[in-house]
Amino acid sequence: MDTLHTLFYFIVAIAILVAFHEYGHFWAARKVGIKVIRFSIGFGKPLISWQKSPADTQFVVAAIPLGGYVKMVDEREEAVKAEDLPYAFNRQPLLARTAVVAAGPIANLLLAVVLFWLVLVIGEAGVRPVIGGVEAGSLAEQAGFAAGDEIISVDETATPTWIEALDTLLTSAIDGKTEISVVTKAIDDSQQVRLIHLTEQDVQTPETLHKRLGLKPWVPTIKPVIGKVLEDGVAKQAGLQSGDLIISADGTAITDWQQWVDYVQARPDVEIKLLLERSGAPLSLSITPRSEQQGEGKAVGKIGAGVDTPKDLLDSMMVTHALSPWDAVPVAGKRVWFYAVTTLKMMGKMVVGSASVENLSGPISIAQYAGQSAEMGFTAFLKFLGLVSVSLGVLNLLPVPVLDGGHLLFFAVEAVKGSPIPERIQLYFQQAGMLLLMLLMGLAMFLDIGRLFQ
């Protein structure tokens, strides 16, 4: 994927999420009568700045797009003019200060509701959840799944697409369930209830669960015709073009696309001699699949090319799931609640060691997800924004000093004891919170860099 494409959509995503978060603080501050000095999207040197008058709020877009802030009049930060003292944050009642701090994360959660509502109303296109194969010894085989079964629902939640089915299975597992009920429909339209039994080891990471489930999507028999060729892939470098029909590889006849995929994946960094048909004429060339790590360190071959899928075949397996604007409202709210609770549970599992820290994502991973979702389409990008907005809202509500949740914790203590916590003690906890946050960010970056090398 083009780096500029990824970077562009990452900046767009961060700008939207930060703008709504900070606007929550800004809106609440104005409502309770606090004077706002600056509203900034990004940190560092201002690139764009607008201010109606010296007495009004300065709106800024800054150079480093990794956050933002709302600067209010506050005696704890700098000297305040006498005429501005009634509008200082620190002089406001406890309830007003609490509302201002809580408004940022709440704005992110409300934004997520709107984004999921849009996704539900516009409709999500996806592949029907038809099972193509079940791996021997897998959880799916133990539960009685069979090739040709279509997944109708997971724990009474409808799953119209393959992605919805996998997402619901994953979230049910993260929710701590040891038994997941799946309704399937066989080729003869008869329905069965399959029970998947899980252990703690099965849900260490999404990749682990996916592997142990052992479910493979139905893949039609498709001619091995090259479709899209990535600019930075080895297929492009070797001379493969869209429309090329693969006849044989190392003398072995290739009759369908899946056979070709399996052949390539089994040969990372191994040269393959190809016989092609291009525009009716035979053509020979060589290609060496690039080695990429996939699941528990296993190396697989990748060439950076996709299949040319016949449109009528693709259409027969595609479905679009949409709701009316009214029906989508409670469903969007339930999704946000579910993802928020799931996020908290996953964080808790990582803290106690029952889930791997590899579930952490840093800015590099988020940037990649932003680019990938944008390439998949508008609704996929909206869904990505919704998921990250939930995570941002939940993260900021954690009772960690320097985060909004840390300030809310200080306010709760103030409400109990009847007076603010001394600034010296607050500063100590904020420094500890900053250190913890820096360590987590460092770990997330380390994992991100590790994924890049994989």
Side-chain angles (χ1 to χ4, degrees):
M1 187 184 300
D2 185 78
T3 303
L4 289 177
H5 173 274
T6 298
L7 184 60
F8 173 76
Y9 282 103
F10 173 65
I11 292 174
V12 169
I14 293 299
I16 293 171
L17 298 173
V18 169
F20 271 86
H21 180 92
E22 300 305 336
Y23 183 76
H25 292 309
F26 173 78
W27 180 85
R30 295 290 293 269
K31 283 294 180 182
V32 300
I34 297 172
K35 184 175 181 179
V36 179
I37 300 171
R38 184 179 297 114
F39 181 110
S40 178
I41 305 299
F43 300 106
K45 183 180 179 181
L47 300 178
I48 303 172
S49 178
W50 178 81
Q51 189 175 24
K52 187 176 181 180
S53 72
D56 290 313
T57 302
Q58 180 189 30
F59 294 91
V60 172
V61 176
I64 305 173
L66 293 177
Y69 62 93
V70 171
K71 182 178 176 61
M72 307 173 208
V73 172
D74 194 327
E75 293 175 277
R76 298 171 302 173
E77 296 182 4
E78 61 186 11
V80 177
K81 296 177 183 178
E83 61 268 26
D84 287 338
L85 288 176
Y87 312 110
F89 176 85
N90 62 292
R91 293 206 174 194
Q92 303 307 310
L94 177 60
L95 187 60
R97 285 179 280 135
T98 301
V100 172
V101 171
I106 291 173
N108 279 125
L109 296 175
L110 290 176
L111 172 63
V113 172
V114 173
L115 291 168
F116 284 124
W117 178 83
L118 282 171
V119 169
L120 290 165
V121 171
I122 294 170
E124 287 185 272
V127 178
R128 287 168 49 203
V130 177
I131 298 170
V134 178
E135 293 187 6
S138 65
L139 295 172
E141 185 188 54
Q142 295 169 18
F145 287 87
D149 286 351
E150 182 171 356
I151 300 173
I152 304 300
S153 66
V154 176
D155 281 341
E156 300 183 354
T157 299
T159 54
T161 67
W162 182 261
I163 293 298
E164 284 289 325
L166 288 187
D167 280 352
T168 310
L169 281 168
L170 173 62
T171 48
S172 292
I174 293 173
D175 203 31
K177 295 184 178 180
T178 56
E179 184 180 89
I180 300 176
S181 174
V182 181
V183 177
T184 61
K185 183 175 70 174
I187 298 174
D188 61 3
D189 286 340
S190 63
Q191 293 192 1
Q192 299 286 336
V193 178
R194 311 292 186 187
L195 298 178
I196 299 175
H197 297 280
L198 299 171
T199 65
E200 194 173 273
Q201 287 70 36
D202 295 324
V203 292
Q204 281 286 313
T205 66
E207 290 78 13
T208 301
L209 178 62
H210 185 268
K211 181 178 180 180
R212 296 194 180 188
L213 277 174
L215 288 172
K216 294 181 178 180
W218 177 81
V219 179
T221 300
I222 303 174
K223 285 184 177 182
V225 178
I226 299 295
K228 183 176 182 179
V229 179
L230 299 181
E231 288 297 324
D232 58 350
V234 295
K236 180 77 171 179
Q237 298 167 11
L240 281 174
Q241 297 179 10
S242 178
D244 286 349
L245 173 64
I246 300 170
I247 305 298
S248 67
D250 296 326
T252 301
I254 302 296
T255 58
D256 69 78
W257 181 261
Q258 190 57 47
Q259 181 191 3
W260 167 238
V261 171
D262 293 340
Y263 196 89
V264 169
Q265 290 186 342
R267 290 162 177 78
D269 293 328
V270 177
E271 185 182 51
I272 300 174
K273 297 186 181 300
L274 291 179
L275 176 61
L276 311 174
E277 181 182 302
R278 180 180 294 171
S279 302
L283 174 67
S284 297
L285 56 79
S286 297
I287 187 170
T288 302
R290 182 180 296 154
S291 178
E292 293 188 11
Q293 298 298 314
Q294 190 177 72
E296 299 182 0
K298 180 183 177 182
V300 297
K302 296 286 184 72
I303 64 170
V307 64
D308 182 16
T309 307
K311 188 177 184 302
D312 57 343
L313 181 61
L314 188 63
D315 289 345
S316 69
M317 288 299 295
M318 295 296 290
V319 292
T320 299
H321 174 61
L323 297 176
S324 69
W326 182 255
D327 290 338
V329 173
V331 177
K334 288 178 182 178
R335 280 197 180 186
V336 171
W337 174 259
F338 180 76
Y339 287 130
V341 172
T342 301
T343 300
L344 284 172
K345 288 184 177 180
M346 178 58 78
M347 288 178 179
K349 286 176 178 286
M350 285 190 285
V351 169
V352 300
S354 60
S356 173
V357 294
E358 291 185 9
N359 290 290
L360 284 172
S361 294
I364 298 174
S365 290
I366 294 172
Q368 291 175 329
Y369 298 149
Q372 290 166 3
S373 63
E375 194 167 81
M376 291 168 64
F378 182 60
T379 54
F381 186 63
L382 289 180
K383 193 172 183 179
F384 160 77
L385 285 176
L387 288 168
V388 180
S389 196
V390 171
S391 298
L392 188 59
V394 170
L395 178 65
N396 272 281
L397 285 173
L398 294 178
V400 178
V402 310
L403 296 179
D404 293 327
H407 292 292
L408 294 175
L409 178 62
F410 290 155
F411 294 159
V413 174
E414 180 180 340
V416 172
K417 69 190 288 285
S419 62
I421 296 175
E423 289 186 22
R424 178 177 57 83
I425 296 177
Q426 289 192 42
L427 181 61
Y428 170 78
F429 278 107
Q430 287 175 349
Q431 289 173 340
M434 179 62 75
L435 177 61
L436 175 62
L437 207 58
M438 293 292 286
L439 289 173
L440 283 174
M441 290 178 65
L443 176 59
M445 282 293 294
F446 175 78
L447 293 171
D448 272 359
I449 293 169
R451 294 183 189 110
L452 281 179
F453 280 107
Q454 290 179 354

